[in-house]
């Protein structure tokens, strides 16, 4: 008996967990599923809060950083990134 | 050669806002067939190894080896299918509108998505290409374009190019965005033969996974501007520079949703609440650059933050 980690990353519309999912990723340490880019059209949850209600444990959230002078309008990576996990019991 | 069909202002504004233009079946079948014939039309069942297949095409004269920095007009031999493609009035018009009459060839590449049997035979995991932005960090106001040419029908199971409309103005470092598997609003190219996708160099994209039993081809050409990108399109439909700002937020009925301001401030499904607004600012800045009009604004987004009376 062993535990394996499933990781889900949700990208939300704001820093609040109860706002809409705009992007998502899923990495399955059990090997039961093989997820990859572009494999799903609809988010698994409408909001981050819905993921909590379904048993996902939040373990990391992106910080809110001040905007550097002269760099206020530059955009890069998705801003509101939340890492969730589930520990799943396996036979391995 | 027929006169190029330049883009109009709404098409250009849409490119600025969304980072792509799509022309379905714009390349006639004579060119598509000639291009595929040059590749050799090898049946997928007769290919032993993916690398060997690439090697065979690279060793042929199907696609020329061209030095980076070559003028686009000198990149392909006369009478070749790729020359004929670039000489199509709609294609030439799009290229001239976006990067000018002296476009510079950067590179080209034939992308082949192989069916599952190839991966199974070699014991390799078949996986969709991660999301990425081509080249490297590129903070220019000027932009390159990438022509993506699909010479045959692309069905949903063939895993056509996946891309994210509106992502092109984000400054990221190539594969650093690979973590993002799915983003609301992402599109997968499913198209008839002869379709051309014209992309801003910054668009986030990746190849889909080919679950069919046929090879999928996509030929990409990257082009750089050879001149300042200033009003290169058909500007006859541009509204006058002194066109007043439209009402915002409290708009009343009958707001024009087809004008330049509406196009530049149309959100994408993946926009975050706050940075979606910054996307508008960055689009307006790019539109100013293309218009060469530092006073242009859409829905007051830049005027508001630039208003510092002295």
């Amino acid at each position: 008996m062993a535990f394996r980690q499933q990781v889900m990353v949700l990208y939300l519309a704001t820093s609040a967990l109860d706002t809409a999912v705009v992007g998502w990723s899923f990495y399955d340490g059990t090997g039961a599923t093989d997820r990859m880019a572009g494999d799903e059209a609809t988010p698994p949850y409408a909001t981050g809060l819905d993921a909590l209600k379904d048993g996902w444990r939040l373990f990391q959230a992106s910080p809110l950083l001040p905007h550097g002078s002269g760099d206020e309008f530059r955009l890069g990576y998705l801003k509101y990134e939340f890492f969730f996990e589930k520990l799943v019991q396996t036979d391995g | 050669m027929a006169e190029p069909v330049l883009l109009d202002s709404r098409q250009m504004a849409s490119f600025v806002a969304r980072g792509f233009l799509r022309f379905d079946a714009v390349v006639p079948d004579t060119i598509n067939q000639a291009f595929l014939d040059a590749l050799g039309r090898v049946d997928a069942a007769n290919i032993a190894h993916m690398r060997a297949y690439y090697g065979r095409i690279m060793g042929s004269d199907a696609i020329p080896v061209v030095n980076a920095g070559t003028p686009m007009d000198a990149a392909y031999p006369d009478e070749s299918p790729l020359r004929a493609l670039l000489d199509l009035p709609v294609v030439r018009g799009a290229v001239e509108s976006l990067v000018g009459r002296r476009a510079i060839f950067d590179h080209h590449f034939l992308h082949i998505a192989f069916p599952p049997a190839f991966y199974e035979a070699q014991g390799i995991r078949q996986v969709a290409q991660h999301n990425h932005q081509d080249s490297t960090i590129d903070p220019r106001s000027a932009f390159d374009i990438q022509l993506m040419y699909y010479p045959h029908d692309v069905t949903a199971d063939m895993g056509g190019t996946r891309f994210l409309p509106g992502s092109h103005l984000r400054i990221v470092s190539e594969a650093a965005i690979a973590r993002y598997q799915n983003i609301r609003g992402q599109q997968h190219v499913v198209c008839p033969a002869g379709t051309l996708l014209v992309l801003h160099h910054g668009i986030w994209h990746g190849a889909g996974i080919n679950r069919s039993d046929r090879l999928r081809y996509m030929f990409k050409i990257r082009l750089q501007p050879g001149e300042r990108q200033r009003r290169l399109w058909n500007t006859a439909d541009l509204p006058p520079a002194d066109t007043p700002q439209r009402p915002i937020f409290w708009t009343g009925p009958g707001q024009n949703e087809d004008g330049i301001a509406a196009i530049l401030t149309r959100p994408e499904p993946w926009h975050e609440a706050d940075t979606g607004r910054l996307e508008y600012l960055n689009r307006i800045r790019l539109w100013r650059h293309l218009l060469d009009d530092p006073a242009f604004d859409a829905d007051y987004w830049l005027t508001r933050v630039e208003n510092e009376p002295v």
Side-chain angles (χ1 to χ4, degrees):
Chain A
M1 202 71 75
F3 286 94
R4 294 289 181 271
Q5 190 183 32
Q6 291 180 324
V7 175
M8 179 174 67
V9 196
L10 297 182
Y11 301 89
L12 304 183
T14 79
S15 63
L17 270 173
D18 58 349
T19 52
V21 175
V22 299
W24 64 101
S25 302
F26 191 79
Y27 298 95
D28 190 349
T30 72
T33 59
D34 186 18
R35 302 294 304 274
M36 62 187 71
D39 65 356
E40 204 167 44
T42 308
Y45 299 100
T47 69
L49 182 60
D50 287 341
L52 292 180
K53 289 176 178 175
D54 197 36
W56 288 91
R57 295 156 53 97
L58 179 70
F59 67 93
Q60 181 171 299
S62 50
L64 291 174
L65 301 171
H67 304 282
S69 178
D71 205 33
E72 296 90 345
F73 304 115
R74 179 178 294 244
L75 294 175
Y77 305 99
L78 296 179
K79 189 172 176 183
Y80 304 112
E81 181 180 67
F82 295 86
F83 276 77
F84 299 84
E85 70 168 359
K86 273 186 180 176
L87 291 177
V88 179
Q89 208 166 41
T90 68
D91 296 331
Chain B
M1 193 190 316
E3 279 294 302
V5 180
L6 296 175
L7 300 175
D8 64 28
S9 297
R10 283 177 176 75
Q11 287 176 299
M12 280 298 294
S14 182
F15 183 87
V16 165
R18 309 199 77 198
F20 78 100
L21 293 168
R22 176 172 163 158
F23 300 92
D24 275 35
V26 70
V27 182
D29 214 39
T30 48
I31 296 176
N32 299 329
Q33 296 306 320
F35 180 79
L36 291 169
D37 283 343
L39 297 183
R41 291 186 180 281
V42 176
D43 191 321
N46 295 327
I47 304 167
H49 198 284
M50 292 182 275
R51 190 173 297 171
Y53 187 62
Y54 263 113
R56 193 185 63 74
I57 294 177
M58 277 196 177
S60 75
D61 60 359
I63 296 167
V65 175
V66 183
N67 293 340
T70 300
M72 182 193 82
D73 285 339
Y76 300 103
D78 293 342
E79 314 302 328
S80 68
L82 292 169
R83 171 82 274 141
L85 182 155
L86 291 172
D87 283 344
L88 291 169
V90 171
V91 178
R92 185 163 280 275
V95 168
E96 288 191 9
S97 298
L98 292 163
V99 292
R101 293 187 173 189
R102 297 188 295 277
I104 299 164
F105 175 93
D106 180 302
H107 75 282
H108 59 197
F109 199 84
L110 178 68
H111 291 262
I112 308 171
F114 291 87
F118 288 82
Y119 295 88
E120 291 161 10
Q122 293 172 43
I124 302 170
R125 176 185 178 223
Q126 187 183 19
V127 63
Q129 188 180 29
H130 291 100
N131 279 315
H132 64 285
Q133 192 181 64
D134 275 353
S135 189
T136 187
I137 299 173
D138 192 343
R140 287 176 296 167
S141 297
F143 58 85
D144 299 351
I145 58 171
Q146 303 216 81
L147 308 181
M148 291 191 172
Y149 165 47
Y150 302 87
H152 55 74
D153 291 345
V154 178
T155 56
D157 65 344
M158 295 173 87
T161 311
R162 175 188 68 260
F163 67 99
L164 184 65
S167 56
H168 55 301
L169 300 181
R170 296 235 163 190
I171 308 300
V172 299
S173 180
E174 212 263 336
I177 57 172
R179 180 188 289 168
Y180 310 148
Q181 287 177 340
N182 291 290
I183 303 176
R184 287 185 63 203
Q186 65 193 4
Q187 294 191 15
H188 304 260
V189 172
V190 176
C191 65
T195 293
L196 200 67
L197 202 58
V198 183
L199 301 177
H200 184 287
H201 69 253
I203 277 278
W204 298 5
H205 67 284
I209 193 166
N210 183 359
R211 300 188 191 280
S212 79
D213 58 0
R214 292 161 292 165
L215 298 173
R216 177 178 71 76
Y217 293 107
M218 185 278 284
F219 188 68
K220 181 179 81 176
I221 307 173
R222 181 167 179 144
L223 299 171
Q224 295 193 297
E227 60 187 292
R228 167 76 163 87
Q229 289 155 299
R230 179 195 298 119
R231 295 176 180 256
L232 298 174
W233 68 97
N234 180 358
T235 57
D237 61 342
L238 265 182
D242 59 356
T243 300
Q245 291 287 304
R246 62 179 189 165
I248 48 177
F249 295 111
W250 190 267
T251 57
Q255 183 82 298
N256 176 13
E257 294 302 327
D258 190 34
I260 302 296
I263 294 169
L264 294 177
T265 57
R266 191 165 293 150
E268 296 291 347
W270 59 271
H271 275 179
E272 296 146 335
D274 61 326
T275 64
R277 295 178 167 193
L278 297 183
E279 295 283 358
Y280 303 159
L281 270 64
N282 289 335
R283 294 169 178 178
I284 295 164
R285 285 208 166 102
L286 179 54
W287 190 246
R288 283 181 173 183
H289 178 76
L290 295 175
L291 280 183
D292 199 17
D293 177 2
F296 173 84
D297 202 2
D299 290 357
Y300 225 55
W301 283 108
L302 280 175
T303 306
R304 185 181 298 120
V305 297
E306 290 171 342
N307 179 29
E308 294 195 82
V310 290

